[in-house]
């Protein structure tokens, strides 16, 4: 029990990650999804222009 309380105290004293570290991977994944969507949309538009 004592070691659990020591671990909890250590975790509470540890520095919290910054906003950049916390949301950095989320933003990168979002940008990757947007880029993929734009590439697919552009591909459909070019295919439609060629076919039409």
């Amino acid at each position: 029990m004592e070691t659990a309380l020591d671990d909890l105290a250590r975790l509470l004293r540890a520095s919290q990650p910054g906003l950049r570290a916390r949301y950095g991977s989320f933003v990168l994944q979002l940008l990757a999804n947007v880029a993929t969507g734009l590439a697919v949309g552009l591909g459909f538009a070019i295919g439609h222009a060629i076919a039409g």
Side-chain angles (χ1 to χ4, degrees):
M1 181 71 174
E2 186 175 331
T3 54
L5 292 176
D6 289 341
D7 289 342
L8 181 61
R10 182 182 49 82
L11 288 173
L12 290 174
R13 276 187 261 122
S15 64
Q16 297 297 320
L19 191 64
R20 182 179 189 140
R22 188 177 299 165
Y23 295 110
S25 61
F26 173 75
V27 170
L28 287 176
Q29 184 67 41
L30 184 65
L31 289 175
N33 289 342
V34 168
T36 301
L38 287 174
V40 169
L42 186 60
F44 278 128
I46 292 172
H48 185 69
I50 291 173

